[in-house]
Amino acid sequence: ENNVYKYYSEGEWRKSVSGKSVAIVNPTTRKTQYKVQACSQAEVNKVMEAAKIAQKAWAKTPLWKRAELLHKAAAILKEHKHPIAECLVKEIAKPAKDSVTEVVRSGDLISYCAEEGVRILGQGTFLVSDSFPGNERTKYCLASKVPLGVVLAIPPFNYPVNLAVSKIAPALIAGNSIVLKPPTQGAVSCLHMVHCFHLAGFPKSLINCVTGKGSEIGDFLTMHPGVNCISFTGGDTGISISKKAGMIPLQMELGGKDACIVLEDADLDLAAANIVKGGLSYSGQRCTAVKIVLVVESVADALMEKVNAKVAKLTVGPPEEDCDITPVVSESSANFIEGLVMDAKEKGATFCQTYKREGNLIWPLLLDNVRADMRIAWEEPFGPVLPVIRIGSVEEGINHCNASNFGLQGCVFTKDINKAMIISDAMETGTVQINSAPARGPDHFPFQGLKDSGIGSQGITNSINMMVKVKSTVINLP
Ligand code: G3H
């Protein structure tokens, strides 16, 4: 078919020989918005082979030239922020303004990565042997950072552009080639983003983008012997990928159940603003969203009054109108969220708003008096539904946070910095924010999850370092 977006391989836009396509359903209209190629395993093999060859030449390309091309791609991406944002609106129902922000942030991330890369990778280490017992000064070790090879990048639907470039840019500056497998929802935004790299003039086969069904090419890609590194952001799939992958470096970010602990002395206006923004922006479909509020009983009524007043002001509707709450990504996601809400209802949670759903659009809902026997106390809704547990002590809050199988981020609201530091130390999460909602950015900050939330650390600097190996040459003097 002619209206199926082509995939990108060997510097060209191609139709799959499979003749099949994958439909992308607009979450708002629930009708097919776009179609992409359903690539075959043979096509993946071809891409892998070409990416391997292209990487060898790229690794020899001077670092400053790699950086120059990345800066160029960043500028082109920013120039195309509006058409790409329009795709995000249609594919993943991200509010219009946030969609533009995602593209601009991605351009900035690429440029920062180019700058950081030339600094980090322009330095190596030099060691001499006589500091270790028994050695004379007869060995000089020169250690530098060399690329891994082909990096497989798999971003999720909620930031198809930004979480793709957060993998692509560090990989490229470090001298690797890229095979990108976009999420189905978000694939067309990814293809447009890849086109910006194409326009920037990167060598052919260095960046490749294969679209298709997970059932056909998912495992085939992640278990492919040509892959030298996997950078994945998403859900549970990451756990099975990590079990099946070969002996290669893995970078995984698999969601969270970020707790927001509110103490008696907290600035409740600040806490309420962060709970609403942190919990409900992009309808709660962020791995770093506040996913459980743990508030000390003595201030719970006052906090909930402020939170509910803010929730009442949220606009609910289509992403084109830049509403705060937009349809969740798919019908199955909406059904899952509804399942959590109904479970909480049966078990006696207090509904602060009326539960309302039309298609994939779910109205924002705070559930108060949630207890540990409710699924929503532990599971990630990935929707505009936020549970609140009233706690008798801070320890109770910390215990709940640490009993989770996730450990991405968490936050604590208090005016007492000493208490905040002690709580931060006690929370078993990759990051703790003091007096602000969890967030990945600024994008050069380290970003990591403990337990089922992930493997390794991201953020620009850490991603570059993760996508290289140390190689040393030892000069032996007579
Ligand atoms: O969904 C996962 C993202 O890494 C969260 O990024 O904190 O910028 O929304 P964010």
Side-chain angles (χ1 to χ4, degrees):
E1 292 178 55
N2 288 330
N3 60 349
V4 182
Y5 277 88
K6 292 175 180 161
Y7 77 103
Y8 187 64
S9 149
E10 295 176 84
E12 284 174 19
W13 296 97
R14 293 170 184 254
K15 281 186 186 174
S16 168
V17 290
S18 74
K20 291 186 203 148
S21 64
V22 180
I24 297 165
V25 176
N26 180 324
T28 312
T29 62
R30 294 195 287 159
K31 298 209 168 85
T32 297
Q33 181 76 39
Y34 305 116
K35 284 180 188 168
V36 293
Q37 307 291 324
C39 291
S40 66
Q41 295 186 351
E43 283 161 328
V44 168
N45 278 337
K46 240 181 129 202
V47 161
M48 286 295 173
E49 204 48 50
K52 186 178 175 179
I53 297 165
Q55 189 271 327
K56 304 274 182 226
W58 181 243
K60 293 196 176 77
T61 305
L63 189 49
W64 66 267
K65 276 197 186 171
R66 288 187 228 152
E68 212 170 68
L69 277 172
L70 281 167
H71 281 301
K72 213 167 154 191
I76 296 171
L77 185 68
K78 282 183 169 182
E79 276 165 31
H80 292 83
K81 64 183 179 203
H82 291 300
I84 298 176
E86 268 168 44
C87 287
L88 290 170
V89 167
K90 301 288 180 215
E91 284 189 290
I92 63 164
K94 184 170 276 196
K97 272 193 201 142
D98 292 349
S99 294
V100 174
T101 305
E102 173 172 347
V103 183
V104 174
R105 174 181 178 183
S106 303
D108 291 340
L109 192 157
I110 298 170
S111 291
Y112 194 107
C113 207
E115 286 166 15
E116 188 75 344
V118 290
R119 305 284 166 248
I120 299 176
L121 302 163
Q123 290 180 2
T125 43
F126 171 61
L127 297 94
V128 287
S129 49
D130 62 340
S131 51
F132 199 86
N135 283 275
E136 297 300 318
R137 200 178 175 80
T138 52
K139 289 175 188 285
Y140 295 163
C141 176
L142 304 167
S144 65
K145 290 170 179 173
V146 296
L148 298 174
V150 180
V151 173
L152 174 62
I154 309 182
F157 82 83
N158 63 346
Y159 283 95
V161 174
N162 186 262
L163 284 171
V165 303
S166 74
K167 305 170 190 316
I168 295 171
L172 292 179
I173 193 66
N176 301 287
S177 60
I178 277 285
V179 174
L180 171 68
K181 163 64 179 75
T184 298
Q185 308 283 141
V188 174
S189 309
C190 269
L191 291 169
H192 280 80
M193 176 271 295
V194 168
H195 191 57
C196 297
F197 282 83
H198 174 81
L199 294 175
F202 280 88
K204 70 174 187 151
S205 299
L206 188 69
I207 303 161
N208 308 275
C209 184
V210 288
T211 52
K213 295 197 177 78
S215 55
E216 171 77 12
I217 58 167
D219 278 354
F220 191 73
L221 274 164
T222 53
M223 295 166 74
H224 201 286
V227 171
N228 305 111
C229 168
I230 302 174
S231 179
F232 173 92
T233 306
D236 290 354
T237 320
I239 296 178
S240 58
I241 290 176
S242 68
K243 286 182 182 148
K244 292 181 203 161
M247 199 180 71
I248 53 172
L250 302 177
Q251 188 179 48
M252 298 266 160
E253 200 269 277
L254 315 179
K257 185 73 181 167
D258 294 7
C260 171
I261 301 182
V262 183
L263 305 197
E264 218 164 11
D265 69 343
D267 176 336
L268 295 183
D269 288 308
L270 181 71
N274 276 278
I275 288 167
V276 173
K277 188 163 186 290
L280 301 173
S281 59
Y282 188 37
S283 307
Q285 297 172 109
R286 295 166 52 238
C287 54
T288 49
V290 169
K291 298 211 179 89
I292 183 120
V293 176
L294 301 159
V295 55
V296 170
E297 179 66 65
S298 56
V299 290
D301 285 341
L303 178 75
M304 291 313 291
E305 199 182 312
K306 289 177 191 291
V307 169
N308 287 325
K310 286 184 190 298
V311 170
K313 290 195 186 127
L314 295 175
T315 55
V316 182
E320 287 84 354
E321 289 172 22
D322 212 33
C323 290
D324 298 310
I325 304 295
T326 53
V328 296
V329 71
S330 63
E331 191 174 341
S332 62
S333 177
N335 291 343
F336 176 77
I337 297 161
E338 186 163 296
L340 293 180
V341 171
M342 292 311 148
D343 174 77
K345 188 178 184 182
E346 275 164 32
K347 292 172 184 162
T350 308
F351 281 45
C352 300
Q353 293 77 23
T354 312
Y355 174 68
K356 189 174 168 194
R357 170 182 171 187
E358 275 173 19
N360 296 351
L361 186 61
I362 293 177
W363 269 250
L365 175 63
L366 267 288
L367 298 173
D368 201 349
N369 297 307
V370 163
R371 288 191 324 264
D373 63 335
M374 299 175 190
R375 285 176 56 204
I376 202 157
W378 307 103
E379 295 180 43
E380 244 194 323
F382 238 67
V385 176
L386 185 53
V388 179
I389 294 184
R390 294 171 176 235
I391 50 176
S393 68
V394 175
E395 288 65 37
E396 215 180 292
I398 294 169
N399 289 344
H400 185 92
C401 166
N402 292 350
S404 172
N405 58 322
F406 290 114
L408 189 60
Q409 294 207 357
C411 60
V412 52
F413 286 85
T414 171
K415 292 193 186 111
D416 185 336
I417 188 67
N418 296 327
K419 270 192 201 157
M421 288 307 296
I422 290 167
I423 293 167
S424 171
D425 275 350
M427 286 171 85
E428 292 165 4
T429 62
T431 302
V432 176
Q433 305 266 354
I434 298 171
N435 291 327
S436 189
R440 171 167 48 112
D443 291 335
H444 65 304
F445 280 16
F447 180 54
Q448 56 280 319
L450 306 184
K451 299 189 258 183
D452 284 354
S453 288
I455 303 176
S457 179
Q458 302 178 58
I460 289 170
T461 314
N462 287 344
S463 290
I464 295 172
N465 281 322
M466 182 265 171
M467 290 176 184
V468 290
K469 269 196 178 193
V470 174
K471 158 89 190 255
S472 49
T473 300
V474 181
I475 302 170
N476 289 276
L477 303 174

